[in-house]
Amino acid sequence: MIPVESVAALAARIPDGAMVVIPPDYAGVAMAATRALVARGVRTLHLLASPSSGIQADMLIAAGCVATMEAAAVTLGEYGAAPAFAAAVKTGAIRMKDSTCPAIHAALNAAEKGLPFIPLRGLIGSDVLRHRDDWKVTQNPFAKAPDPIVLLPALRPDVALFHAAAADREGNVWFGRRREVMVMAHAARTALVTVERVLDTCFFDREEMVAGTLPSLYVGALAVAPQGAWPLGLDEEYATDGDAMARYAAGAPL
């Protein structure tokens, strides 16, 4: 059985220096666990956004929890810039590994499939590629004419951290239509998941739920955290708290 524990105990499973992959703001962000990480004082995280992040990354950076940020973007979207992230990049307080949405998804797909690397087009000639010495340009071995292609090393995070609507009694997690969450969990060594509730059922007994369910074999631990994505929203559960987001963007603590 998958242990169901407190949010603080779940956050304590993430050690200093871990690579932690997190979803975009619309895909189930574990904000209750994020606050627990800040309270614990975790340090030197390599935070990997899949492929972007917002208030979650900004709060962790503001608290001094992050050494490396890898993302296609960190922004509060309609609420403005992510203030702590912007300041940290300007001062060099964090190492920023700029990426792109396709590059992050592809590198996670490589880890999901057990591949050491994966090829990707569309990066050649970009400043992003110029600043990533861990990405390699090579010749397509199947082409007769010159055909350069970029090889990306697989991204295999230590932890996938996200929030979902529900888990069942066997520890399977319902993530719905947010397929990026499934890829995150497949690519990572383990997934730590907060949920709104645990239901006395098995999702795999219901045909209509199978495609949106993460099997428990990928889950290291669960914690029940009602409103656990707040101030962000969660599909079919609650909307983003726009007032709270606006206050945060203006400099007020949550």
Side-chain angles (χ1 to χ4, degrees):
M1 295 295 291
I2 304 302
V4 179
E5 52 198 24
S6 70
V7 174
L10 181 138
R13 291 174 175 268
I14 300 177
D16 290 355
M19 178 189 281
V20 181
V21 61
I22 55 176
D25 281 0
Y26 54 80
V29 177
M31 289 301 297
T34 298
R35 287 186 282 272
L37 285 169
V38 169
R40 195 190 98 210
V42 70
R43 290 292 180 266
T44 63
L45 294 178
H46 179 154
L47 204 60
L48 171 64
S50 179
S52 64
S53 185
I55 192 170
Q56 181 180 29
D58 202 66
M59 285 180 61
L60 289 167
I61 291 168
C65 302
V66 178
T68 300
M69 183 77 229
E70 188 167 359
V74 179
T75 173
L76 301 184
E78 65 186 281
Y79 303 101
F85 166 75
V89 170
K90 289 177 182 177
T91 62
I94 62 171
R95 178 190 181 204
M96 182 61 199
K97 296 184 75 171
D98 280 312
S99 190
T100 69
C101 298
I104 290 173
H105 287 311
L108 288 170
N109 284 150
E112 180 185 34
K113 294 172 172 60
L115 302 175
F117 61 85
I118 196 165
L120 185 71
R121 296 196 183 276
L123 293 164
I124 293 172
S126 71
D127 284 345
V128 177
L129 177 60
R130 186 164 60 86
H131 290 283
R132 291 295 300 260
D133 57 10
D134 55 333
W135 295 351
K136 308 300 182 184
V137 179
T138 190
Q139 166 67 13
N140 173 5
F142 298 102
K144 295 181 179 179
D147 184 25
I149 195 163
V150 181
L151 302 183
L152 310 175
L155 282 170
R156 183 149 177 80
D158 299 300
V159 174
L161 178 65
F162 64 93
H163 183 71
D168 66 17
R169 62 173 174 260
E170 298 181 7
N172 305 305
V173 174
W174 169 252
F175 62 82
R177 60 181 173 171
R178 300 304 181 188
R179 306 297 292 181
E180 58 267 72
V181 170
M182 183 182 69
V183 174
M184 284 167 43
H186 287 177
R189 290 178 171 83
T190 192
L192 301 178
V193 188
T194 58
V195 296
E196 294 288 318
R197 61 190 69 88
V198 176
L199 301 176
D200 187 18
T201 186
C202 176
F203 296 149
F204 285 105
D205 291 339
R206 299 170 59 183
E207 184 68 27
E208 73 276 12
M209 298 193 73
V210 170
T213 296
L214 177 70
S216 61
L217 67 93
Y218 295 102
V219 180
L222 295 165
V224 177
Q227 298 280 308
W230 183 90
L232 298 171
L234 186 65
D235 274 358
E236 300 183 14
E237 294 286 330
Y238 44 88
T240 295
D241 185 338
D243 291 340
M245 289 293 295
R247 289 194 301 270
Y248 179 87
L254 287 177

